[in-house]
């Protein structure tokens, strides 16, 4: 994303804070990701939770992605934005009865079931609706993801997924559930994974589990390997390495596996195309640091306050020599800080600030705490 003088001039005309999306960059990312997946015979479902802005969703649907949803509302929106229902999967550790009914009615491809109790509920609701529920078991592979502690999901002690030790019990339960069709197996070990070797460990576990199911006469039709491909928050213009990522799986998944292989990518598809644009309200000296107080806060972009996530911060309007600043929002919480001791050109009231890589888990997590207005979205196609 290039903040040329022309673009900055156009952005200055909008009331801050807002999300700016470079839709050409989004299209380029989608073309590369879908092309690299197709070359290796893989399918990708877009993880809607990363960004459910309908403009973004419609563009993604246009590139032939399926949808990975975690609520009934996400499923409804995905179908309305053009994702085919039969290419939509429904994950989540706590699906409500109403959400299950919605998904069955729309005819989604598959439920990623996370517990024995959920399988029984799915069976009962499908029976009452006179339908069948296709199910993939979300298995907790106990593979360490080496990412932020709060976004690791594939280790044994975790609210997500079914533990390997429970599998024998779960498949014996499955054999008695008359309204469920076993479709495959599903994994997701965490998000923002930059050490791609982690996926080799996942492949080795998947190979063992594929054999385990096949030996029991339950060869999985689908293997869904989840999402998690990380991006460089330090270098926001670096493109995600889709080819390297898919190659790891091509290389380490057992050749004899005949299942459809799919992924659920979110962050790597949308993060780079979005930036939170904000204005400097005040520059405030402290005792050992100088604070920049922005008009955007944790209510607009929660990740830094929620899990100490780093986002690169740029001053779009100053060309003065650099200083060190702590960049904070206006919210009445001391965790409302976007970055400490950040090097920026000398900054003053009214300067325009871009917080980069905010196209995933940004706008969708915005909230109204302090009765703030939700940040609007501005698209490159419209300005
Ligand atoms: C089950 C599941 N699939 C896919 C994703 C998308 O992950 P990412 O945005 O890291 O690609 C997540 C994110 O947390 C998830 O929980």
């Amino acid at each position: 994303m290039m903040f040329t003088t022309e673009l900055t001039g156009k952005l200055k005309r909008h009331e801050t804070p807002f999300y700016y999306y470079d839709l050409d960059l989004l299209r380029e990312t989608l073309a590369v990701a879908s092309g690299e997946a197709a070359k290796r015979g893989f399918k990708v479902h877009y993880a809607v939770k990363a960004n459910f802005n309908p403009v973004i969703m419609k563009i993604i649907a246009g590139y032939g992605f399926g949808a990975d949803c975690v609520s009934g509302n996400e499923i409804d929106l995905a179908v309305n934005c053009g994702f085919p229902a039969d290419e939509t999967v429904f994950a989540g550790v706590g699906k409500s009865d109403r959400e299950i009914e919605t998904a069955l009615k729309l005819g989604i491809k598959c439920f990623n079931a996370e517990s024995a109790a959920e399988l029984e509920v799915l069976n009962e609701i499908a029976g009452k609706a006179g339908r069948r529920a296709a199910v993939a078991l979300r298995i907790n592979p106990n593979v360490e993801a080496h990412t932020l502690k709060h976004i690791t999901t594939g280790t044994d002690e975790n609210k997500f997924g079914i533990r390997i030790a429970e599998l024998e019990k779960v498949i014996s339960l499955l054999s008695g559930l008359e309204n469920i069709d076993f479709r495959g197996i599903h994994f997701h070990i965490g998000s923002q994974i930059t050490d791609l070797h982690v996926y080799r460990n996942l492949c080795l576990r998947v190979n063992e589990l594929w054999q385990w199911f096949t030996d029991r006469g339950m060869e999985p039709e689908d293997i869904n390997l989840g999402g998690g491909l990380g991006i460089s928050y330090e270098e926001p213009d670096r493109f995600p390495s889709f080819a390297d990522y898919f190659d790891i799986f091509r290389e380490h998944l057992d050749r004899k596996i005949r299942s459809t292989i799919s992924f659920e990518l979110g962050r790597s598809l949308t993060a780079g195309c979005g930036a939170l644009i904000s204005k400097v309200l005040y520059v405030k000296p402290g005792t050992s640091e100088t604070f920049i107080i922005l008009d955007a806060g944790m209510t607009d972009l929660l990740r830094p306050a929620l899990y100490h996530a780093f986002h690169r911060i740029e001053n779009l309007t100053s060309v003065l020599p650099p200083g060190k600043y702590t960049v904070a929002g206006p919210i009445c919480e001391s965790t409302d800080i976007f970055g400490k001791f950040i090097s920026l050109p000398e900054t003053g009231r009214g300067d325009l600030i871009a917080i980069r890589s905010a196209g995933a888990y940004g706008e969708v997590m915005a909230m109204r705490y302090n009765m703030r207005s939700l940040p609007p979205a501005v698209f490159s196609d419209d300005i």
Side-chain angles (χ1 to χ4, degrees):
M1 186 187 293
M2 282 291 293
F3 288 100
T4 57
T5 321
E6 190 194 348
L7 174 58
T8 302
K10 287 178 180 171
L11 295 178
K12 270 189 192 161
R13 289 186 216 135
H14 293 264
E15 198 175 323
T16 51
F18 60 89
Y19 276 88
Y20 170 69
Y21 293 108
D22 179 339
L23 297 183
D24 284 334
L25 179 56
L26 174 66
R27 292 180 186 105
E28 188 188 340
T29 311
L30 297 171
V32 173
S34 60
E36 295 295 343
K39 261 191 228 165
R40 295 160 180 84
F42 296 155
K43 275 192 174 175
V44 180
H45 298 120
Y46 168 56
V48 171
K49 66 169 82 64
N51 191 320
F52 53 69
N53 186 304
V55 173
I56 305 273
M57 297 265 289
K58 283 178 192 160
I59 293 175
I60 298 176
Y63 280 77
F65 290 84
D68 158 44
C69 300
V70 288
S71 70
N73 289 344
E74 280 193 2
I75 297 172
D76 263 337
L77 180 67
V79 171
N80 282 330
C81 287
F83 291 90
D86 61 1
E87 285 298 335
T88 296
V89 298
F90 184 13
V93 67
K95 303 173 184 79
S96 73
D97 294 13
R98 177 108 75 95
E99 289 176 317
I100 293 170
E101 285 159 11
T102 303
L104 285 168
K105 209 178 311 149
L106 287 170
I108 64 160
K109 177 181 174 186
C110 167
F111 292 83
N112 294 335
E114 304 224 7
S115 65
E118 182 188 332
L119 286 169
E120 289 182 302
V121 170
L122 278 172
N123 184 57
E124 191 190 321
I125 298 178
K128 277 194 202 142
R131 296 176 192 264
R132 304 194 60 74
V135 159
L137 299 179
R138 174 169 177 177
I139 302 171
N140 212 325
N142 203 21
V143 169
E144 177 50 64
H146 299 300
T147 179
L148 293 173
K149 179 169 115 225
H150 301 296
I151 51 177
T152 291
T153 56
T155 48
D156 245 355
E157 198 56 87
N158 207 295
K159 75 170 179 177
F160 301 104
I162 298 167
R163 278 181 294 118
I164 290 175
E166 290 176 286
L167 277 179
E168 201 80 64
K169 229 167 66 193
V170 168
I171 65 160
S172 100
L173 168 74
L174 256 186
S175 63
L177 300 178
E178 64 278 15
N179 306 311
I180 302 273
D181 294 324
F182 172 74
R183 177 65 63 82
I185 49 183
H186 170 233
F187 305 86
H188 174 74
I189 58 172
S191 199
Q192 182 51 17
I193 295 174
T194 48
D195 172 7
L196 293 185
H197 284 98
V198 162
Y199 288 116
R200 177 183 167 273
N201 299 339
L202 173 62
C203 288
L204 301 182
R205 193 53 55 81
V206 171
N207 292 341
E208 289 165 12
L209 285 163
W210 177 84
Q211 194 63 57
W212 190 90
F213 278 92
T214 303
D215 289 346
R216 284 157 183 76
M218 298 175 70
E219 183 175 344
E221 230 174 275
D222 289 318
I223 298 180
N224 178 340
L225 296 157
L229 172 61
I231 58 155
S232 173
Y233 281 95
E234 288 75 19
E235 295 173 73
D237 294 314
R238 212 161 94 196
F239 218 70
S241 43
F242 296 108
D244 294 345
Y245 170 72
F246 291 129
D247 270 346
I248 300 240
F249 293 93
R250 196 61 302 160
E251 199 178 316
H252 296 287
L253 283 177
D254 205 321
R255 301 264 165 217
K256 64 186 179 213
I257 294 180
R258 291 172 293 254
S259 323
T260 306
I261 305 292
S262 59
F263 296 85
E264 300 169 336
L265 295 179
R267 184 189 317 270
S268 51
L269 298 178
T270 61
C273 76
L276 177 62
I277 308 294
S278 172
K279 221 175 244 167
V280 176
L281 293 176
Y282 305 104
V283 179
K284 184 177 174 185
T287 48
S288 59
E289 51 196 320
T290 305
F291 292 94
I292 289 175
I293 312 291
L294 298 180
D295 63 2
M298 63 191 277
T299 51
D300 306 293
L301 177 65
L302 186 59
R303 296 186 73 254
L306 186 62
Y307 21 67
H308 301 298
F310 172 84
H311 284 260
R312 195 176 150 84
I313 301 169
E314 293 169 5
N315 185 325
L316 302 182
T317 44
S318 169
V319 288
L320 295 170
K324 287 262 190 249
Y325 297 97
T326 289
V327 182
I331 310 301
C332 304
E333 294 288 338
S334 354
T335 54
D336 185 26
I337 301 280
F338 288 116
K340 281 183 95 61
F341 301 107
I342 305 292
S343 178
L344 288 174
E346 191 181 320
T347 295
R349 177 172 164 83
D351 283 356
L352 209 57
I353 300 289
I355 306 182
R356 303 288 308 275
S357 314
Y361 308 108
E363 190 188 350
V364 284
M365 284 193 188
M367 59 167 146
R368 297 224 42 217
Y369 180 47
N370 285 193
M371 262 193 103
R372 303 256 305 166
S373 302
L374 291 175
V378 171
F379 299 98
S380 55
D381 286 8
D382 302 332
I383 61 171

